[in-house]
Amino acid sequence: MRRVVGPVGRLPALRRALRRAPELWQRLDVTARDVPLALLCLAVSLLPAFHTQGTRIGGVPDRAFDALGAAAVLLQCLPLALRRRLPVVCVALVSVGFALDQLLGYHTVAGTTLPIALFSAGAWLARVRRGAALAFCAAFLLLVAALQRVGSGESPGEYVTFYLALAFACGIGSWLRRTRAAEVELRRRIAEDTITAERTRIARELHDVVTHHVTAMVVQAEAARYLTAAPDRLDQTLSAVSDTGRRAITDLRHLLDLLNPDHSTPGHGDSGHSTPGHGDSGHSTPGHGDSGRSTPGRGDSERRDPGHRAPEHGGPGPAPEAMAPLTGGFHPLVEQARRAGQPVEFTEEGTPAESSGSAGLVAYRVVQEALTNALKYAHGSRTSVRVRHSGTEITVEVGTDGSGARAGLVGGSGRGLAGLRERVDILGGDFSAGRDAAGGFVVQARIPAGAPS
């Protein structure tokens, strides 16, 4: 049985078609989109009521519309379909038609297409603009000379006024072209700046995640070379190296989840727990003396840089609580530095604010980077870490007394301290790093609490 669809049933389809019309129109070639304008000008110019009602310069007497007049109208109107594809050809053909229209006295409204063609040339002509302008000026002078011979004559002021009107139309098109080019350049620069900022952010994250753990592993491995005569201590040191490596892998996985959350899948070690016996099961390895430290595999990995937003719970990527900074999260850093042979005195005053924004994370990064540098450049030096929480800010101070030895590591690039300064500055705080009077090195930071993440 055939179903009859009434007018009301066709309305949704009609609405969809109307919504898609602009998109389909933009997909057409520019020549096809300019054809309606050319046809509209042609239809209006061929109407008898508009004959001899167009542009008139030179004082040439009116002439009855005939086949030659129709040819002049076609030359002036149809080339508008090429005004964006071939602007020079468009201007040339329209100018020839306009010259015939004025010299023969038809004076049709098709003469208004000349300013349109010049506007289009100014807006879309990318090359030979100067040569095209000179050629048009020469052609205009020839037209003026011819009109002076066949017409009753016009004052020079009228020719100049008409020329300035044409130049104004071309000038508007040129301004539009420059504006469009400036917008394209602005978008390109924004894209380049965005890419550069993203690369800088990724490099900073990798530096934070990798450098700290790898430095601790290198220092611990160097110490293990001298513990062959003490198997128990050697086993503890090698276990510490393994734990540090696993934490580094976990941190890298969390970082990759932040950069590409859609790639995260359960069962790849990103769920916040590991296989028992690998040092990441939530309790410390026997004999390590770290029963008071946080669950291995979290600590550093649960902290992320300001500006990152964890995926919503239940969606792709790690759970939000796995990425947020933990209260008192400085202890794993201190314990890791101690296990690497760095004597660290840790003092924390005050109670961390419940909503400190990104300040807690930035303070964590300051302590992390300062302890990493202490291991690299002042291994064995007495190191003090002081963190003070107040209602409005977090103050961090990490210093070494300079009595230790430099570890056998390649010199740093300075990216770590520069990244810390940038992070603190973003939150409106103060950061300093340098030698003190006693020859040690001190890193200080004042970070306003409650800054937006």
Side-chain angles (χ1 to χ4, degrees):
M1 186 174 179
R2 189 174 180 181
R3 184 180 178 184
V4 179
V5 180
V8 177
R10 298 191 186 98
L11 286 178
L14 181 60
R15 292 194 187 99
R16 288 194 296 269
L18 291 176
R19 283 196 297 266
R20 291 190 59 193
E23 179 183 356
L24 296 176
W25 176 259
Q26 291 298 325
R27 290 181 182 179
L28 294 176
D29 185 77
V30 291
T31 302
R33 282 183 277 161
D34 287 334
V35 165
L37 175 63
L39 295 179
L40 177 63
C41 293
L42 178 62
V44 173
S45 300
L46 292 178
L47 292 176
F50 292 100
H51 293 169
T52 69
Q53 301 297 320
T55 305
R56 185 190 303 268
I57 61 171
V60 178
D62 291 336
R63 179 175 175 174
F65 192 79
D66 53 17
L68 192 56
V73 169
L74 291 175
L75 275 176
Q76 293 178 88
C77 296
L78 293 184
L80 290 182
L82 304 175
R83 68 187 188 92
R84 285 187 283 185
R85 175 68 67 187
L86 298 171
V88 172
V89 174
C90 174
V91 171
L93 294 177
V94 171
S95 298
V96 171
F98 182 81
L100 290 176
D101 184 270
Q102 297 301 316
L103 290 172
L104 298 179
Y106 294 112
H107 304 139
T108 63
V109 294
T112 57
T113 60
L114 182 58
I116 298 176
L118 289 173
F119 167 82
S120 302
W124 300 102
L125 185 59
R127 301 178 182 177
V128 298
R129 290 191 295 270
R130 183 174 300 177
L134 293 175
F136 179 79
C137 291
F140 183 79
L141 292 177
L142 291 177
L143 175 62
V144 170
L147 289 173
Q148 287 293 98
R149 293 186 61 181
V150 301
S152 60
E154 293 277 0
S155 65
E158 293 180 352
Y159 289 119
V160 171
T161 301
F162 183 70
Y163 177 83
L164 291 177
L166 298 178
F168 180 73
C170 185
I172 293 177
S174 299
W175 172 82
L176 182 62
R177 176 182 54 79
R178 289 193 297 269
T179 302
R180 188 170 57 245
E183 290 179 355
V184 171
E185 178 66 17
L186 179 61
R187 293 193 188 100
R188 184 187 67 81
R189 290 183 180 180
I190 291 175
E192 289 182 354
D193 293 344
T194 302
I195 293 173
T196 301
E198 185 68 8
R199 287 176 177 172
T200 302
R201 181 182 66 83
I202 294 173
R204 188 172 59 206
E205 286 293 329
L206 288 175
H207 178 275
D208 290 340
V209 170
V210 175
T211 304
H212 177 73
H213 293 303
V214 172
T215 299
M217 292 170 64
V218 171
V219 172
Q220 291 165 348
E222 289 287 338
R225 298 169 56 187
Y226 304 99
L227 298 175
T228 55
D232 293 340
R233 294 182 60 191
L234 178 61
D235 179 69
Q236 292 180 10
T237 302
L238 293 179
S239 297
V241 173
S242 299
D243 290 345
T244 304
R246 292 188 185 98
R247 280 194 294 271
I249 292 174
T250 303
D251 284 2
L252 286 174
R253 284 172 176 168
H254 285 317
L255 175 60
L256 293 176
D257 287 339
L258 286 174
L259 296 177
N260 186 15
D262 294 335
H263 185 69
S264 175
T265 55
H268 288 182
D270 297 316
S271 58
H273 63 274
S274 310
T275 304
H278 285 196
D280 293 322
S281 58
H283 61 274
S284 57
T285 305
H288 286 193
D290 296 321
S291 57
R293 63 187 176 90
S294 304
T295 303
R298 297 182 70 171
D300 308 357
S301 64
E302 297 181 343
R303 295 159 176 86
R304 55 189 175 90
D305 195 33
H308 295 290
R309 185 176 297 277
E312 295 294 330
H313 188 60
E321 61 270 15
M323 308 307 298
L326 294 178
T327 302
F330 302 102
H331 293 281
L333 296 176
V334 174
E335 291 300 325
Q336 188 178 33
R338 287 172 178 169
R339 295 171 66 185
Q342 192 76 3
V344 181
E345 176 187 350
F346 176 62
T347 304
E348 187 171 15
E349 302 175 2
T351 303
E354 293 184 0
S355 66
S356 60
S358 299
L361 173 61
V362 174
Y364 176 90
R365 294 301 191 195
V366 171
V367 174
Q368 184 184 52
E369 178 65 21
L371 289 178
T372 300
N373 289 338
L375 286 172
K376 291 170 65 175
Y377 306 115
H379 185 223
S381 297
R382 290 186 299 274
T383 305
S384 62
V385 178
R386 296 184 178 86
V387 180
R388 186 172 63 86
H389 302 273
S390 67
T392 58
E393 63 185 22
I394 302 175
T395 304
V396 177
E397 180 177 330
V398 182
T400 57
D401 60 8
S403 60
R406 179 189 179 98
L409 297 171
V410 179
S413 62
R415 183 182 289 112
L417 294 178
L420 292 180
R421 188 183 305 278
E422 179 182 350
R423 286 175 171 173
V424 174
D425 288 344
I426 288 175
L427 298 183
D430 300 320
F431 178 84
S432 64
R435 295 285 179 182
D436 59 11
F441 197 86
V442 179
V443 175
Q444 295 177 321
R446 183 191 61 81
I447 309 158
S453 300

